[in-house]
Amino acid sequence: AALEWNKAFERAGFRNALSVEQQPADAEWTTLEGTRLLAVRWFAQDGPGSTAVGPSQSDPRTGEILRGAAIIDENRVRVFRARATEVVPRLVDSVPADFAQRLLQCNYADEAMDQAQFGFELLVERGQIDPSGPDAERYISAALKDVTMHEIGHALGLRHNFRASTSMTAAQLRDRNHTREHGLSSSVMDYNGQNLPLDGEPVTDYNMTTLGAYDHWAIEYGYREFADAQAEKAGLQALAARSEREPALAYATDEDLGNSDPLVNQRDMSNEPLQFAQRQLKLSRELWQRTTTRKLAADEDLGIYRRALSRVLGTLGTTLPLATKYVGGTYTARAKAGADQPLLVPVPAAQQRAALDLVVAELFASASFKFDPRVMSRLGIDQFERSGPNRSAGVDFSLPSAVLALQRSALDTLMSDNLAGRLADAESKVADPRQLLSYAEVQERLHSAVWTELGQARTADVDSLRRNLQREHLKRLTGGLLRAGSATVTNDVRPVHRQVALQLQSQLQAALASRRWSTTARAHLDDSLALLNEALKAPLIRQGV
């Protein structure tokens, strides 16, 4: 991984710029102090997950890097060798607090390990990898090389580039010759996803194992030497100008993650993140199907079902935000005036609707999260995990709680003032605003999906998962009615929420009068109607004051 960077330095005019030596046990020198040595340190980490960082210290006057390190934990190899499925996946990613405070904030390793474990387990279930064979060794080595290259890149002065993955097409990612030569992305400094094939597709490289075009370019800009100041200025200007004409050099970093550009993400692949999200969901469903239909050995731990379900839900949690980013999204650019192109382009309405359809189908459809009760009653827990701080952990798995966490996050995004503002702002950037997606259309789509039971002709019940979802939707709907905000955007939100609330009020009244419901369902719907009635009265009273 370290020597891979020599390819970039050769283009910058340095042969064998990096050499690698193992520090002997009796060495009289240390990498902890002093300069001009970049240390790769291997350390033990207590507990699941993975941490890797690439801190460096620079001269604030010149930017010259004085000291750097790549710190990698050994969990990555140990967990894989023990087989990835022996650790329950984390549903929430995090970085240890001490590292976040002291070092470069980069949680690449944790997320890379989650994806690598998912891929490892799926490939084992397919029979494409023997967990004790040479293919497993190669898989582990490639994943470790990917993370190490990334962290060494930080120590060499490179920042994250979260647009790099969009330099590849889906077809190129399925071409082994292309991935071997160009990698999976234009930069190892992206949080590149794992390149897993769908069942039956050709197998290429799973991980980024070489430098991309952006990495070569950035190292050349940062390190190439010039004869004098005048040559340096001209040379650096020429290098920088390449970014405007070469798509592989496109750049977006940490500050850009917060914007609404659906092409700037972590853990996506290809120039079509929405299609990548759909692929990931297919892969997670395949893992679940293969795990739950495989005949287990008599002595096999039933915790395998719980781990597989956690991976399915975890994939939803990391993948669906790629889709929600399209709704109200704006493609951005860093072009200069000479490029004669817009810096902000609203995502076409057709793409926004396709993304919204995906989120609704996966999270809010009444058929979502219907699992075989026989499997759900076998979600075992690893008893060894019930020690230390987890001693009181229960054996039950709350599917409603896990699902609700995913649904809350999506509702927060799709019913927010921020989304309403972005959709309103887009009107000034196009010739015909009527062709854009509107906040009213988004809310109508959510309302129809969340309250599907009210429009069903047959007698139906509302199970706990659906009751939870409907309460969360109602909470945000009534909140939009009651909030007194003075901002222009907030004033636009309230009429839309009121329109949806009136429609829902009518549907609840009709459903309660004409349908037979279970006692629990009737109590839920009656309470929902009462809350809605009170919320609808409140704005009218305020307006008359």
Side-chain angles (χ1 to χ4, degrees):
L3 294 176
E4 194 74 20
W5 283 99
N6 276 335
K7 297 177 181 179
F9 279 97
E10 285 180 11
R11 293 192 184 184
F14 300 92
R15 184 177 296 277
N16 297 325
L18 277 71
S19 61
V20 180
E21 297 179 11
Q22 173 68 43
Q23 182 179 8
D26 59 352
E28 296 181 357
W29 49 272
T30 176
T31 61
L32 296 176
E33 301 294 339
T35 62
R36 305 189 67 79
L37 287 176
L38 188 158
V40 180
R41 302 197 187 100
W42 190 253
F43 75 100
Q45 174 174 308
D46 183 23
S50 179
T51 299
V53 291
S56 63
Q57 289 79 43
S58 302
D59 186 330
R61 301 166 298 179
T62 64
E64 179 186 5
I65 298 174
L66 302 176
R67 182 177 63 180
I71 305 174
I72 314 291
D73 72 292
E74 53 80 40
N75 267 16
R76 183 166 302 275
V77 168
R78 180 163 55 84
V79 170
F80 277 131
R81 289 181 186 276
R83 193 164 183 207
T85 52
E86 292 185 12
V87 174
V88 175
R90 296 168 297 110
L91 293 181
V92 178
D93 291 333
S94 62
V95 179
D98 57 341
F99 279 104
Q101 293 169 2
R102 295 187 290 109
L103 303 171
L104 177 67
Q105 295 188 28
C106 174
N107 59 344
Y108 183 67
D110 255 337
E111 297 181 1
M113 190 171 190
D114 284 344
Q115 286 206 344
Q117 287 178 329
F118 171 88
F120 188 85
E121 177 63 12
L122 177 59
L123 295 171
V124 169
E125 290 290 344
R126 283 182 183 173
Q128 293 178 318
I129 284 185
D130 175 357
S132 301
D135 285 340
E137 291 286 338
R138 285 190 287 269
Y139 183 93
I140 295 165
S141 296
L144 181 59
K145 181 179 181 180
D146 185 350
V147 171
T148 308
M149 285 193 300
H150 180 97
E151 302 306 342
I152 289 178
H154 281 313
L156 293 173
L158 274 63
R159 297 192 65 193
H160 292 134
N161 182 0
F162 295 126
R163 196 186 289 275
S165 58
T166 62
S167 64
M168 302 294 175
T169 66
Q172 289 171 331
L173 292 174
R174 303 268 55 83
D175 182 344
R176 180 185 290 272
N177 291 331
H178 189 275
T179 60
R180 283 289 165 88
E181 182 178 355
H182 303 285
L184 311 180
S185 164
S186 66
S187 178
V188 297
M189 304 312 298
D190 200 340
Y191 280 24
N192 293 304
Q194 198 167 43
N195 188 30
L196 293 172
L198 296 177
D199 193 18
E201 284 187 336
V203 175
T204 61
D205 290 299
Y206 301 122
N207 296 95
M208 186 83 170
T209 57
T210 189
L211 302 183
Y214 172 86
D215 304 316
H216 290 283
W217 176 69
I219 289 294
E220 184 173 9
Y221 186 92
Y223 286 89
R224 178 171 286 281
E225 294 182 339
F226 297 90
D228 52 47
Q230 184 176 358
E232 181 180 54
K233 181 177 181 180
L236 293 180
Q237 286 178 340
L239 281 170
R242 288 177 51 195
S243 65
E244 295 189 10
R245 62 179 185 271
E246 298 181 32
L249 304 183
Y251 175 73
T253 191
D254 296 73
E255 295 85 354
D256 300 305
L257 276 177
N259 68 25
S260 58
D261 190 334
L263 298 181
V264 181
N265 302 296
Q266 298 175 340
R267 296 296 166 197
D268 63 341
M269 294 290 290
S270 87
N271 59 350
E272 295 284 353
L274 185 58
Q275 291 182 10
F276 174 76
Q278 294 169 322
R279 289 176 60 89
Q280 291 298 103
L281 295 173
K282 288 180 181 178
L283 291 169
S284 68
R285 283 193 287 268
E286 181 191 348
L287 175 61
W288 176 251
Q289 188 273 334
R290 288 181 179 276
T291 302
T292 56
T293 57
R294 175 170 62 86
K295 183 175 177 57
L296 302 183
D299 60 348
E300 195 161 358
D301 185 1
L302 288 176
I304 188 174
Y305 294 140
R306 186 167 184 155
R307 289 188 286 269
L309 181 57
S310 295
R311 296 201 192 286
V312 171
L313 297 176
T315 300
L316 284 171
T318 57
T319 298
L320 289 179
L322 301 178
T324 55
K325 210 169 182 182
Y326 277 84
V327 183
T330 301
Y331 294 124
T332 61
R334 291 185 173 224
K336 299 291 181 61
D340 191 24
Q341 70 177 69
L343 299 181
L344 302 168
V345 178
V347 173
Q351 287 185 313
Q352 294 192 50
R353 292 188 179 102
L356 184 59
D357 287 344
L358 177 63
V359 176
V360 166
E362 295 294 336
L363 277 186
F364 302 138
S366 58
S368 299
F369 308 109
K370 298 292 186 183
F371 299 110
D372 183 351
R374 185 173 178 273
V375 176
M376 295 301 293
S377 66
R378 287 172 164 77
L379 297 181
I381 188 172
D382 187 340
Q383 299 295 339
F384 289 105
E385 291 188 352
R386 304 180 69 195
S387 60
N390 295 323
R391 187 182 303 277
S392 61
V395 298
D396 197 10
F397 180 91
S398 175
L399 181 64
S401 296
V403 169
L404 188 60
L406 297 172
Q407 293 172 333
R408 279 173 174 160
S409 178
L411 288 174
D412 284 341
T413 299
L414 296 173
M415 299 183 72
S416 67
D417 287 358
N418 287 336
L419 175 61
R422 293 198 304 272
L423 291 170
D425 290 343
E427 295 179 10
S428 63
K429 300 180 180 69
V430 297
D432 185 2
R434 292 174 298 179
Q435 297 180 358
L436 294 173
L437 188 71
S438 68
Y439 186 73
E441 182 179 341
V442 174
Q443 301 315 307
E444 184 60 38
R445 184 79 175 86
L446 290 177
H447 159 242
S448 298
V450 171
W451 298 89
T452 306
E453 291 84 354
L454 301 183
Q456 294 175 341
R458 61 179 176 79
T459 301
D461 203 358
V462 187
D463 63 28
S464 61
L465 271 70
R466 299 293 291 173
R467 294 195 300 270
N468 284 342
L469 172 60
Q470 290 168 3
R471 290 188 191 100
E472 290 297 323
H473 178 263
L474 187 61
K475 182 188 302 182
R476 288 158 181 78
L477 184 63
T478 55
L481 293 173
L482 298 173
R483 190 173 54 250
S486 59
T488 302
V489 171
T490 306
N491 290 335
D492 287 340
V493 167
R494 184 183 294 167
V496 171
H497 281 211
R498 188 171 187 276
Q499 184 180 47
V500 173
L502 288 171
Q503 184 179 357
L504 178 57
Q505 181 188 51
S506 177
Q507 289 176 313
L508 285 168
Q509 290 170 341
L512 285 167
S514 61
R515 296 271 299 280
R516 295 181 59 187
W517 302 93
S518 68
T519 302
T520 302
R522 175 168 287 278
H524 160 67
L525 297 177
D526 190 60
D527 185 62
S528 298
L529 179 59
L531 291 172
L532 200 56
N533 288 338
E534 291 300 317
L536 283 166
K537 291 176 185 177
L540 296 176
I541 294 172
R542 261 204 299 268
Q543 288 172 0
V545 174

